[in-house]
Amino acid sequence: MNERGVTFLEMVLSIVIIGVIAVLVTDVFVYSSKSVMTANATRGALQAGRLAIDRMVREIRNVPSNLCISAAGSTTFTFIDSNDVTITYRRVGASLMRNGDKLLDSVEDLTFTYYDNGYPPNPIGAPTICHAPTT
């Protein structure tokens, strides 16, 4: 008798092998998906941090004079910019605040260090206009 077909044992064995392969492929897919999501979240956090620091640097560099800095502590830096606008950067817990608005979240470590280079900070004869904004 020359019957063609698949025995029950062969069918069960092939189903088990396909199941094992499917589990392995699924694990690889889940692991790679988690890796991509983690990388995207890290990239987003780095970009947000970079933008916040760039904004701070740009605004602090435009301070007209050391006389325009009204508070310089380890968690707070307050100054008046060239447009007579008072700007305060403050670290509150894990947040970096700018004038009370959250600029960045999940800040682990940030310390403001201010080095005073003496007075007068401007060249002789250069006007220094720095006063509180009129409201």
Side-chain angles (χ1 to χ4, degrees), residues 20-130:
V20 168
I21 292 172
V23 167
L24 293 175
V25 169
T26 303
D27 284 346
V28 168
F29 178 74
V30 168
Y31 177 76
S32 64
S33 296
K34 286 181 181 179
S35 296
V36 167
M37 290 189 324
T38 301
N40 287 341
T42 302
R43 185 170 20 114
L46 286 173
Q47 183 176 7
R50 201 172 289 127
L51 289 173
I53 295 298
D54 286 346
R55 181 176 186 176
M56 284 177 54
V57 167
R58 186 174 53 250
E59 289 180 341
I60 291 171
R61 281 187 179 162
N62 288 326
V63 176
S65 161
N66 287 353
L67 298 172
C68 299
I69 298 170
S70 57
S74 62
T75 59
T76 302
F77 191 75
T78 303
F79 58 92
I80 300 171
D81 70 2
S82 57
N83 296 322
D84 280 341
V85 176
T86 301
I87 298 174
T88 300
Y89 284 105
R90 176 173 296 159
R91 183 175 155 232
V92 180
S95 297
L96 175 62
M97 310 293 282
R98 181 189 181 274
N99 290 347
D101 297 327
K102 190 180 290 187
L103 187 62
L104 188 61
D105 207 6
S106 300
V107 177
E108 290 184 19
D109 187 24
L110 175 67
T111 302
F112 295 105
T113 304
Y114 171 67
Y115 298 104
D116 186 356
N117 66 353
Y119 292 94
N122 289 338
I124 297 174
T128 300
I129 301 171
C130 203

